[in-house]
Amino acid sequence: MTTREHDASVYEQVQESSEFQDLKRRFRAWTFPMTVAFLVWYLLYVVLSGWARDFMGIKLLGEINVGLIFGLLQFVSTFLIAWAYARHAERKLDPIADKLRHDVEEKTQ
């Protein structure tokens, strides 16, 4: 068995393992809903900007209007999602990924 064949079989074994499947499930269970939620939020902003100009133009404080606040909230929500994902990954994904990496390193040495 060559090194290339050996390495491929190790990675195939990891890919088929229940731990790897759990890692993928946990990743998808968080990222897919969060991606959909953010895209809906972003598209709402775009749609309101295009078709609800009167609403977006309502002044809240001086020259600051609803559109400006919604635009700034896009940046805030992006940073919050990144922060929340980092916490999720640290608690739920990284321990499994570290174990899988360690197992692969042991098998390929």
Side-chain angles (χ1 to χ4, degrees), residues 44-78:
L44 174 68
Y45 172 67
V46 171
V47 167
L48 289 174
S49 295
W51 285 281
R53 291 181 176 261
D54 291 338
F55 171 71
M56 296 295 269
I58 295 172
K59 294 189 187 233
L60 300 174
L61 183 64
E63 293 298 315
I64 298 173
N65 61 22
V66 172
L68 181 60
I69 298 297
F70 274 27
L72 292 173
L73 287 174
Q74 292 291 317
F75 290 100
V76 172
S77 62
T78 300

Side-chain angles (χ1 to χ4, degrees), residues 23-35:
L23 178 64
K24 284 187 353 181
R25 181 190 56 74
R26 289 177 185 215
F27 173 77
R28 290 177 179 161
W30 198 93
T31 54
F32 288 166
M34 190 58 68
T35 300

Side-chain angles (χ1 to χ4, degrees), residues 83-102:
W83 172 77
Y85 177 75
R87 289 192 63 197
H88 169 74
E90 183 179 4
R91 292 179 178 174
K92 304 284 184 173
L93 304 178
D94 291 350
I96 298 170
D98 289 343
K99 183 181 181 316
L100 288 170
R101 186 188 75 239
H102 178 72

